[in-house]
Amino acid sequence: MPGRNGKGPPWWHGKFRSCGYRLTIPREMILDVLNKAAKHLSAEEIYLAVQKVYSAIGLTTIYRTLELLVQMGLVFKFDFGDKRSRYELADGPKGIRHHYHLVCTGCGRVIDYTDFIDEAKELLLQTQKGLTKKYNFKITNHLIQFYGLCEKCQK
Amino acid sequence: MPGRNGKGPPWWHGKFRSCGYRLTIPREMILDVLNKAAKHLSAEEIYLAVQKVYSAIGLTTIYRTLELLVQMGLVFKFDFGDKRSRYELADGPKGIRHHYHLVCTGCGRVIDYTDFIDEAKELLLQTQKGLTKKYNFKITNHLIQFYGLCEKCQK
DNA sequence: ATTGGGAATGAAAACCATTACCATTAGGAG
DNA sequence: CTCCTAATGGTAATGGTTTTCATTCCCAAT
């Protein structure tokens, strides 16, 4: 289960080692599934996907691993209002391809978008800096989501 | 259970009527608790608070009413990562005192902040406009949250 | 290679916030 | 005041996520 392009060891190997965590089959499988999917999956979806290739996998391991990955910063966890969490690869060391979500409150559909003006990014950074100083709060991450009605649900 | 200042009928009465919903004791109690608390409460906290004054209240009603209020736009629903939802009064017709949250991933503490609102508002509006046009998505609401470590948890 | 021991796993049971069900109660228009 | 229907509340069910615990496996030290 190679990295993004099939060449070289996946970029996450180093991170695992340096954190003192073991690199196991299930963990690689889960990362691989997330890597290939490249969109938000639920724990169960990941479970089923891994199961196709590694039938011995247990749901428990899925949850445990995902929690670990989130805590390591390799994976983001989202809540779109239906009541299952969604998980998404944080896109590597260089790929700071942060993207955001439009959530339809009608049908639950989620649209990813990356068109976020550069000014906005700048502002976000400044805000972050300001808040860090004022509240002595070390910000590691942020969440931005828009809610509304998609094309179909407006009618 | 009077309005914000004890004079005049609470500002939400009109909204209820115009939506065709009945104005009942439990609903007023719940709004009253949210109004007095003025910070994010869980369903159970609201339940216990209402119970002190109106012991016949049922948890089911709490949930049902909160859902209604959220859907009416009178109340916002948040998820801070512990696994219960939090509810907060949307601050009336004039009080556009929008605020955002800093969530500590260490201890779960939540800090409200109102700084940088005006700058953010402008960009938010532009972003919103762009997204609406591009995806034909009618945005009704948004969520911004910062995650990190609070003062205590950094040590 | 082998091994020892702590980390990781998986099956099943427990958890627990939220919902569904349904018989009963009460708002408010006429 | 009455009636109709929305609203309520107790209880049981739901279902995603966690906990428990015996077993297995990674891997550093032999």
Side-chain angles (χ1 to χ4, degrees), chain A residues 21-22 24 26-27 54 56-58 60-61 64 83:
Chain A
Y21 297 123
R22 291 182 183 170
T24 65
R27 286 175 181 176
Y54 185 77
I57 193 75
T60 308
T61 301
R64 257 189 313 230
K83 62 200 69 166

Side-chain angles (χ1 to χ4, degrees), chain B residues 33-80:
Chain B
V33 164
L34 283 168
N35 192 29
K36 282 198 186 115
K39 75 178 169 76
H40 40 269
L41 298 174
S42 69
E44 191 182 3
E45 287 171 332
I46 296 168
Y47 175 56
L48 294 174
V50 173
Q51 211 174 35
K52 282 183 186 167
V53 186
Y54 185 75
S55 63
I57 193 74
L59 229 199
T60 307
T61 300
I62 301 288
Y63 279 107
R64 255 189 318 230
T65 302
L66 287 172
E67 186 191 353
L68 183 72
L69 294 174
V70 167
Q71 181 234 298
M72 285 172 68
L74 288 182
V75 164
F76 290 139
K77 181 179 183 177
F78 293 100
D79 168 28
F80 296 144

Side-chain angles (χ1 to χ4, degrees), chain B residues 111-147:
Chain B
I111 299 173
D112 294 6
Y113 72 91
T114 51
D115 318 69
F116 313 105
I117 299 295
D118 291 330
E119 300 100 297
K121 220 178 265 174
E122 178 57 28
L123 272 172
L124 219 48
L125 227 71
Q126 283 186 311
T127 305
Q128 201 162 316
K129 208 171 287 178
L131 291 171
T132 300
K133 178 179 273 183
K134 177 162 183 180
Y135 297 103
N136 191 17
F137 199 99
K138 188 180 181 183
I139 294 174
T140 57
N141 199 5
H142 68 262
L143 172 68
I144 296 184
Q145 260 167 34
F146 285 96
Y147 297 92

Side-chain angles (χ1 to χ4, degrees), chain A residues 79, chain B residues 40-41 77-88 99-105 108-112 143-145 147:
Chain A
D79 168 29
Chain B
H40 40 269
L41 298 174
K77 181 179 183 177
F78 293 100
D79 168 28
F80 296 144
D82 62 341
K83 62 200 68 165
R84 60 225 317 152
S85 295
R86 306 286 172 155
Y87 301 87
E88 206 167 284
H99 66 268
Y100 299 99
H101 301 283
L102 288 176
V103 182
C104 177
T105 52
R109 192 156 75 100
V110 176
I111 299 173
D112 294 6
L143 172 68
I144 296 184
Q145 260 167 34
Y147 297 92

